[in-house]
């Protein structure tokens, strides 16, 4: 999956940042973040090149699976490839690299102001929710401004945040794998990488950065979907604070047993799933109401992938490509209506 996807993903990201100040700024910050990460781990990569390469392969596998799953659960149709991979690129480079530097500085401040004993327990819970969530959210906002037509409502913000968080998550998984190799003295680096991968993907992966950034990214969609920014500032701020609270609880030195960690992961996943199901229900309700209204003669088969596939199978094979292209153009309008909560369901 990841092999053929990589050149296409690179091309998509390059095209998405090609024009506009926001895209140039985003591209520069992505480059800066990637350099910061490489500088931080250059010695580890040089000494433990084998485990580092294994961790990189697992990272690529994870991001490929994650993008495919998120694209599959997005209502109506998968997101534009350039749009999705731009979010992944920001999270994996700009947000991750800048967070490494910022976290180190802020943790030092906590140690000096609150004492080493307190900071050793609470610094992560006080630092990561501030630095990491804001860095990821900045990318969501920047991409949304650079591709304004692609973020039309809260659901678009949710998925852009999820892709951004996924990029951050896989790079953080790589850094944790490298740290586990160092802690193990490099005696069995490959085993250390695999253990770290299994823990952070299979155990905690469902409730970490993709979920946090999805909740925070909803705020960007809320703000961009409405003309009255002041009326929607409250819900947007609440989304961001919710994501920070989820992050703080996950990193807090409470519920540190295996069962406690699973409970925290489950809670974060359920919160993100609640956001998704609510936003999905509202978007589909608006789209269904529009398709049933006298304003359009489009078919309800546009609502789901399955219904579109069934409709295409009723056509002669020669007519299916043209029908599929027409359906995709109609979906632009359907998604626009579904995202515009100012119109209501009618």
């Amino acid at each position: 999956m990841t092999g053929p996807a990589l050149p296409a993903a690179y091309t998509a990201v390059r095209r998405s940042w090609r024009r506009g100040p926001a895209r140039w700024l985003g591209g520069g910050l992505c480059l800066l973040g990637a350099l910061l990460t490489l500088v931080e781990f250059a010695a580890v990569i040089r000494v433990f090149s084998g485990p580092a390469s294994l961790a990189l392969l697992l990272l690529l596998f994870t991001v490929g699976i994650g993008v495919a799953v998120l694209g599959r659960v997005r209502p109506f149709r998968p997101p534009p490839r350039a749009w999705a991979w731009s979010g992944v690129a920001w999270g994996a480079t700009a947000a991750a690299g800048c967070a490494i530097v910022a976290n180190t500085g802020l943790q030092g401040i906590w140690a000096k102001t609150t004492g080493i004993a307190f900071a050793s327990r609470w610094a992560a819970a006080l630092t990561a929710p501030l630095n990491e969530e804001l860095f990821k959210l900045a990318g969501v906002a920047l991409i949304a401004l650079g591709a304004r037509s692609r973020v039309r409502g809260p659901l678009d913000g949710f998925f852009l945040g999820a892709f951004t968080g996924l990029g951050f998550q896989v790079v953080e998984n790589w850094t944790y794998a490298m740290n586990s190799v160092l802690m193990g003295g490099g005696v069995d680096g490959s085993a250390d990488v695999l253990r770290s991968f299994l823990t952070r993907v299979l155990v905690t992966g469902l409730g970490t950065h993709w979920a946090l950034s999805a909740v925070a990214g909803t705020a960007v969609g809320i703000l961009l979907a409405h003309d009255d920014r002041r009326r929607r500032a409250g819900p947007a701020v609440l989304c961001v604070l919710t994501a920070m609270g989820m992050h703080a609880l996950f990193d807090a030195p409470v519920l540190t047993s295996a069962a406690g960690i699973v409970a925290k992961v489950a809670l974060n996943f359920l919160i993100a799933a609640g956001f998704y199901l609510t936003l999905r229900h509202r978007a589909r309700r608006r789209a269904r109401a529009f398709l049933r209204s006298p304003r359009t003669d489009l078919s309800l088969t546009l609502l789901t992938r399955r219904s579109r596939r069934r409709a295409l199978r009723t056509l002669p094979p020669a007519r299916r490509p043209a029908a599929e292209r027409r359906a995709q153009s109609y979906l632009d309008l359907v998604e626009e209506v579904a995202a515009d909560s100012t119109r209501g369901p009618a």
Side-chain angles (χ1 to χ4, degrees), residues 186-205:
V187 176
D188 195 354
S190 297
D192 292 331
V193 167
L194 288 174
R195 280 192 294 268
S196 177
F197 173 80
L198 293 174
T199 300
R200 293 189 58 82
V201 173
L202 300 183
V203 179
T204 65

Side-chain angles (χ1 to χ4, degrees), residues 169-189:
Q169 185 170 329
V170 294
V171 170
E172 186 179 76
N173 290 349
W174 183 87
T175 64
Y176 270 75
M178 292 298 93
N179 288 332
S180 70
V181 171
L182 289 176
M183 292 177 63
V187 176
D188 195 354

Side-chain angles (χ1 to χ4, degrees), residues 40-313:
E40 181 73 17
F41 288 91
V44 180
I45 295 172
R46 184 171 60 253
V47 176
F48 303 107
S49 57
S53 299
L54 175 61
L56 177 62
L57 290 175
L58 295 174
L59 179 155
L60 296 176
F61 173 79
T62 304
V63 76
I65 294 293
V67 168
V69 170
L70 289 173
R72 180 64 186 169
V73 301
R74 184 175 184 262
F76 307 116
R77 57 179 170 177
R81 187 166 50 188
W83 185 79
W85 283 100
S86 293
V88 172
W90 176 274
T93 56
C98 293
I100 290 174
V101 177
N103 286 349
T104 301
L106 189 52
Q107 286 174 353
I109 293 175
W110 293 129
K112 291 181 179 180
T113 57
T114 64
I116 295 178
F118 178 87
S120 64
R121 286 175 50 81
W122 288 96
L126 295 173
T127 300
L130 292 175
N131 290 339
E132 295 176 5
E133 294 310 316
L134 291 179
F135 281 130
K136 291 182 292 178
L137 186 62
V140 175
L142 192 61
I143 295 169
L145 292 174
R148 180 64 184 84
S149 63
R150 297 300 183 185
V151 182
R152 296 156 296 195
L155 191 62
D156 290 331
F158 178 93
F159 274 94
L160 181 55
F163 285 115
T164 304
L166 175 66
F168 188 99
Q169 185 170 329
V170 294
V171 170
E172 186 179 76
N173 290 349
W174 183 87
T175 64
Y176 270 75
M178 292 298 93
N179 288 332
S180 70
V181 171
L182 289 176
M183 292 177 63
V187 176
D188 195 354
S190 297
D192 292 331
V193 167
L194 288 174
R195 280 192 294 268
S196 177
F197 173 80
L198 293 174
T199 300
R200 293 189 58 82
V201 173
L202 300 183
V203 179
T204 65
L206 284 178
T208 49
H209 287 286
W210 77 267
L212 307 176
S213 296
V215 172
T218 304
V220 175
I222 290 174
L223 291 175
L224 294 181
H226 301 276
D227 294 331
D228 188 353
R229 301 289 192 269
R230 290 176 297 179
R231 187 167 65 89
R232 296 299 172 178
V237 170
L238 184 61
C239 289
V240 177
L241 293 179
T242 299
M244 289 183 173
M246 294 163 64
H247 201 156
L249 175 62
F250 186 83
D251 286 343
V254 297
L255 300 175
T256 55
S257 65
I261 293 173
V262 170
K264 292 194 284 188
V265 170
L267 177 61
N268 284 354
F269 176 79
L270 290 175
I271 292 173
F275 269 70
Y276 165 72
L277 292 175
T278 300
L279 297 173
R280 177 180 179 271
H281 171 72
R282 291 178 178 176
R284 287 173 61 85
R285 182 184 64 188
R286 288 191 289 269
R288 186 179 293 108
F290 169 71
L291 292 173
R292 286 175 174 170
S293 73
R295 290 184 291 163
T296 180
D297 57 357
L298 297 179
S299 171
L300 280 170
T301 57
L302 289 169
L303 276 179
T304 66
R305 295 170 174 85
R306 181 179 298 179
S307 61
R308 294 197 299 271
R309 286 197 298 267
R310 284 201 302 263
L312 284 175
R313 284 197 293 267

